[in-house]
Amino acid sequence: MKVVETVGDLRKTLAEYPRLIGLVPTMGYLHQGHLSLVRRCRADCATVAVSIFVNPTQFGPDEDYQRYPRDVPGDLSLCENAGVDVVFAPTVEQMYPPGDSTLIEVQGLQDRWEGEVRPGHFRGVATVVAKLLRMVCSERAYFGEKDFQQLQVVRRMVRDLVLDVEIVGCPTVRDEDGLALSSRNAYLSADERQRALALSRALQTAQQMVAGGEQHGVKLTAMMRSIVAQTGALQLDYAAVVDPGTLEPVEVLSQEARALIAARVGTTRLIDNAALVPPAE
Ligand code: PAF
């Protein structure tokens, strides 16, 4: 496995590897969710590249950029064991050289839900992902459905900018008790972790209600809210039932929709989502 830090070395190194190249962009502190993306990439592509970069531009001024968990030696050994060919671990200066002033906005999709709570977040994500895609020039790039809005923002950006890459969305990986894996779970105390299960419980209940014939977005979101409220000590940011492509709220489900949920547990923000599939008529 080769580890490179500069764009020049990345290009030279990747030129020695066979195409088709797949990229798994990450912010490090890798867990089984990331490794599931790497496994999928390994199965699909001749060459697997992983980027590890905690991107400052997607964090707000009061967010956790400084304390975001980092463990590069641990990440490299997980990548090595997972059969990664090339790790790109650039510095902030490589990604944002002095004078860098271009930003990418995916208007509309970037503004709702996470975008409302974290203004500027998706501008940072879209900008860094566009840079990574141009630097690696992979044929495919792999993203988790756990960050469902991010996945849709990236898909839209790739379509609108006619970037020659296929975006592959991969299912969320969960602990046995249902908690979606996230690097930020490392912040949770045992009690907070227990309370955080309300998110996956609310989503699962929504799935069961829809499978049982419930079609009304408001009833589903009211139920999700009440499950979170019952748990106590959780501050809900939003619970929504949306169209998976536009992320606009759905009033009556006639086809697959997506339930989105986000809450704060102590000082930790957690997000989760699930597909809502109405029964066939
Ligand atoms: O999902 C993440 O880890 C990040 O948002 C990403 C896509 C690597 C961009 O920094």
Side-chain angles (χ1 to χ4, degrees), residues 27 31 34 37 58 68 114 118 121-122 125 143-154 170-172 180-184 247 258 260 270-273:
M27 296 208 298
H31 51 64
H34 298 111
L37 304 180
Q58 68 188 73
Y68 193 82
E114 280 305 281
R118 306 183 66 189
H121 170 65
F122 288 119
V125 170
F143 293 82
E145 286 183 354
K146 152 83 172 38
D147 296 294
F148 190 76
Q149 187 172 4
Q150 166 173 283
L151 175 62
Q152 300 309 84
V153 164
V154 168
C170 301
T172 303
L181 297 192
S182 161
S183 303
R184 289 193 169 97
L247 303 183
R258 204 88 191 176
L260 308 177
L270 297 175
I271 61 173
D272 201 351
N273 69 87

Side-chain angles (χ1 to χ4, degrees), residues 36 57 91 183:
S36 75
T57 66
T91 58
S183 303

Side-chain angles (χ1 to χ4, degrees), residues 160-171:
D160 292 353
L161 296 181
V162 204
L163 299 181
D164 201 7
V165 60
E166 182 189 341
I167 301 302
V168 183
C170 301

